[in-house]
Amino acid sequence: MDLPHAMRPAAPMSLRPTRRFLSLFLPHWPTDYLKRADPTLSGPLVLYERIKGGLRLAAMDIEAGRAGLRLGQNLADARAMLPDLSVREIDRPMLEAAFADFADWHSNASPLVAVLGDVARFGDLVLDITGVAHLFGGERAMLITLLTRLRALGYTVAGAIAPTIGAAWAVSHFARSQVVQEEALSAALDALPVGALRLSPEQIAGLTQMGLTSLAQLRPRDRKPLQARFGISLLTRLDQAYGMLEERMTPRLPIAERYAERRFPEPIGLLDDVLMTAQDLAVQLGHQLQAEGLGAQTFHLFLYRVDHKVMALSVNSARLTRDPAHIAKLFAHRAERLSGEYDAGFGIDMIRLAVSSVGELDGTQLGAFATDDGAADLIQLQDRMSSRLGTMAVLRTQFVATHIPERAARLVPAMVHAATPANQPGPSLQRPLRLLPVPEPIAINAEVPDGLPASMIWRRVSYRITKAAGPERLGAEWWRSGQRLQLAPPEIPRPPKPGEKPKAPPYVPQLERFNPSAVTRDYYVAEDAMGRRFWIYREGLYVPDASPVWYLHGLFA
């Protein structure tokens, strides 16, 4: 008995996402790529690999497939079928790297691009086109545009747009290129074979043996027996394809929420044109950041070439900024270092300027009440020098939270944030202008062991000390000594039994114990008869059977 529509049980609520995904399937990408790279390759082309001592076909072009060759076939049999066959050994690392660059090039259509490597390491792309399709005149027009430009480059490609990644992949592989709306998702997937779920060959073979050849037959089956036989991955792929479980993609390039781009009707190639465009994009991006009250520290310039390659150029700023002139100068100075490596290929048809490391940046006061201490100009100068000479070529001193003189400061790139005031030395501490890289041993004569030095010998030259002040005692940092807090008691050996050889006592390692008297320093400021001032110190204390050692650590002006 049929129930009225209002009395029928409600369908389970779907967790189907509202995003839209575009999948591109390039079944012959390895051979198509090699043919584009080497125009001398003509006719059927196959790539082989060595498997179990034999040569098997790993990839082929569309001509070889039409001639009856198949993947996994013996190379000798393939040559017997096609005597004029072109043969190359497959280089998987090279193809994977090339396909990664190929995927990055598609970020000119959508900033979120990922490689789907579930079935193969190359050949499948997915783009998140949510909120992007209107730039191409709609989803159907965007799909046609992407397929047309790839086919014009010589690639065999199919594509599909769907609400889920799994559905877009399935339709692009097992149906003609089309756009699947959310309300037609179930009908489109039910007509596809079980291989459309990105399953392993063993799972597909097992489902086929059970008579489950389509998704329409698989979906209503009891889930517990399926999970027990094929694992949770089967149910996961099924729910992801139908939108009951969210599947997230891993974009190749970092997500840039704020960017500005320009497309050219005719490709450009001169570096000066690229820098002028970057300056215009910096103005647009600066206005966008200013409207949001933000600034950025990292800027990325992406140059999209017409031969499906992307050149990326990144610069950094020491502080948050949105000044278009400063951003443009950073790229100009960085381009001077890379001018010899710049290669526009057949031209650049799009340039995108994106930002990362974004933070809040308040507006600056301009006018009669503004104070200019020159700090901003100094920071911008450091940024430009770092872009031109390299990050490690422009260094500055950074204070460290320690009282040991040789550890109290270090050199860091000038673009690193300044040290906190807590790490800066106290103004009352007397420190020399020049600190030796390594303290040098000296010979000291003192009237009494713990008294002030009377003379010293440094680098075979004797200096008579007329004045001296001190000492300033600096203790050792116990946390750097490597001392452990607890030690298990050693095992007490038992007496040997009659007729048994005595065992050697267990080895107990000797721990490095913290000895404050051995590493304590007493610093003196000593002045000789010529007015030269030295910073010397005594390491250790006067104890029986041990004498302290004296060192020269620095020179005053």
Side-chain angles (χ1 to χ4, degrees):
M1 174 178 166
D2 294 337
L3 296 176
H5 181 73
M7 299 179 61
R8 292 177 184 174
M13 181 178 298
S14 173
L15 300 178
R16 194 173 297 163
T18 58
R19 309 192 70 85
R20 303 289 289 174
F21 298 95
L22 188 152
S23 176
L24 295 175
F25 173 46
L26 296 94
H28 306 289
W29 185 85
T31 52
D32 294 342
Y33 172 77
L34 292 179
K35 283 187 173 181
R36 275 189 52 85
D38 187 1
T40 60
L41 291 175
S42 60
L45 173 64
V46 297
L47 305 180
Y48 70 90
E49 62 181 346
R50 303 178 186 273
I51 299 179
K52 296 180 180 179
L55 304 181
R56 306 291 180 179
L57 300 188
M60 65 179 68
D61 62 1
I62 190 172
E63 297 181 23
R66 290 173 180 174
L69 302 184
R70 67 183 187 280
L71 297 179
Q73 185 179 6
N74 190 285
L75 179 59
D77 297 339
R79 279 178 165 169
M81 296 175 60
L82 292 177
D84 59 342
L85 186 64
S86 299
V87 178
R88 294 284 182 88
E89 185 175 3
I90 190 170
D91 187 354
R92 293 189 180 276
M94 183 273 294
L95 292 175
E96 291 178 13
F99 192 74
D101 296 337
F102 181 76
D104 294 342
W105 178 66
H106 282 81
S107 60
N108 59 5
S110 172
L112 301 179
V113 183
V115 176
L116 287 182
D118 303 306
V119 178
R121 302 296 299 177
F122 38 78
D124 290 304
L125 292 179
V126 62
L127 290 74
D128 188 341
I129 62 170
T130 306
V132 178
H134 70 279
L135 301 176
F136 297 83
E139 292 182 351
R140 186 173 300 275
M142 180 178 184
L143 180 60
I144 294 175
T145 300
L146 267 61
L147 295 179
T148 302
R149 72 178 186 179
L150 289 179
R151 288 166 182 167
L153 293 173
Y155 292 102
T156 304
V157 59
I161 298 178
T164 65
I165 297 176
W169 186 94
V171 174
S172 64
H173 277 249
F174 296 92
R176 62 183 179 88
S177 299
Q178 57 181 302
V179 177
V180 180
Q181 301 299 333
E182 188 169 0
E183 59 274 9
L185 177 62
S186 299
L189 290 177
D190 287 343
L192 301 180
V194 292
L197 293 181
R198 291 175 289 167
L199 303 176
S200 64
E202 294 77 11
Q203 291 175 320
I204 297 175
L207 292 172
T208 305
Q209 291 177 358
M210 295 176 58
L212 303 176
T213 58
S214 66
L215 298 183
Q217 298 173 336
L218 176 64
R219 193 154 63 114
R221 295 296 294 263
D222 191 3
R223 299 172 68 92
K224 289 185 178 180
L226 291 177
Q227 179 179 350
R229 180 169 180 178
F230 300 101
I232 192 63
S233 61
L234 172 62
L235 303 181
T236 300
R237 291 302 187 193
L238 185 65
D239 292 341
Q240 288 175 346
Y242 282 89
M244 306 304 296
L245 184 65
E246 183 182 5
E247 180 181 3
R248 297 184 178 181
M249 58 183 294
T250 304
R252 281 272 314 161
L253 299 177
I255 301 176
E257 298 181 357
R258 297 164 183 85
Y259 62 89
E261 63 183 24
R262 175 171 297 179
R263 301 175 186 268
F264 304 99
E266 295 292 336
I268 64 174
L270 297 179
L271 182 59
D272 293 340
D273 296 339
V274 172
L275 296 178
M276 291 176 60
T277 305
Q279 184 174 3
D280 295 340
L281 296 177
V283 173
Q284 300 179 23
L285 202 57
H287 291 163
Q288 180 181 351
L289 294 174
Q290 184 177 7
E292 301 180 27
L294 301 175
Q297 282 189 270
T298 306
F299 303 87
H300 311 277
L301 190 66
F302 299 101
L303 311 179
Y304 295 88
R305 293 170 23 174
V306 296
D307 54 352
H308 65 267
K309 292 185 179 180
V310 183
M311 294 184 294
L313 190 64
S314 300
V315 295
N316 295 294
S317 174
R319 293 185 179 181
L320 295 173
T321 183
R322 54 173 177 257
D323 184 5
H326 180 50
I327 299 172
K329 289 181 180 179
L330 291 180
F331 281 108
H333 294 316
R334 183 65 182 274
E336 291 181 3
R337 295 178 55 204
L338 305 177
S339 58
E341 303 175 3
Y342 173 76
D343 182 14
F346 295 100
I348 299 170
D349 58 358
M350 196 189 88
I351 297 179
R352 173 181 295 164
L353 177 61
V355 298
S356 58
S357 301
V358 180
E360 295 184 1
L361 180 62
D362 297 332
T364 56
Q365 175 70 34
L366 299 177
F369 299 100
T371 57
D372 186 7
D373 56 357
D377 296 337
L378 179 60
I379 294 175
Q380 292 185 1
L381 174 62
Q382 294 174 352
D383 292 344
R384 293 194 296 268
M385 293 175 61
S386 300
S387 298
R388 174 176 292 181
L389 304 176
T391 305
M392 299 304 299
V394 184
L395 306 176
R396 66 171 180 82
T397 301
Q398 183 186 57
F399 296 108
V400 182
T402 179
H403 59 270
I404 303 300
E406 61 267 24
R407 298 174 183 167
R410 61 185 176 186
L411 294 177
V412 297
M415 305 182 69
V416 178
H417 290 293
T420 57
N423 294 342
Q424 297 182 4
S428 60
L429 295 178
Q430 191 174 13
R431 293 294 180 261
L433 180 64
R434 178 189 174 190
L435 196 69
L436 298 180
V438 179
E440 299 183 9
I442 57 176
I444 284 290
N445 293 325
E447 297 179 356
V448 295
D450 290 331
L452 297 176
S455 64
M456 74 174 187
I457 299 176
W458 174 49
R459 295 181 180 179
R460 301 182 180 180
V461 178
S462 178
Y463 300 89
R464 186 171 61 87
I465 305 300
T466 58
K467 299 179 182 178
E472 176 189 353
R473 176 159 294 183
L474 298 181
E477 297 176 342
W478 58 267
W479 56 89
R480 297 180 184 268
S481 64
Q483 179 188 16
R484 284 187 285 183
L485 299 180
Q486 203 170 14
L487 176 65
E491 181 182 357
I492 301 176
R494 61 176 177 81
K497 296 180 180 180
E500 183 182 4
K501 294 182 179 181
K503 295 182 179 180
Y507 171 73
V508 179
Q510 298 295 326
L511 298 181
E512 178 188 356
R513 297 192 176 275
F514 179 67
N515 186 4
S517 62
V519 289
T520 299
R521 297 180 181 180
D522 287 338
Y523 277 88
Y524 296 87
V525 179
E527 182 177 338
D528 68 348
M530 302 296 295
R532 292 169 292 203
R533 303 174 68 203
F534 309 94
W535 202 40
I536 60 179
Y537 71 89
R538 180 185 64 223
E539 185 174 275
L541 304 176
Y542 286 96
V543 294
D545 301 331
S547 299
V549 183
W550 288 81
Y551 294 92
L552 175 66
H553 205 169
L555 304 173
F556 290 89

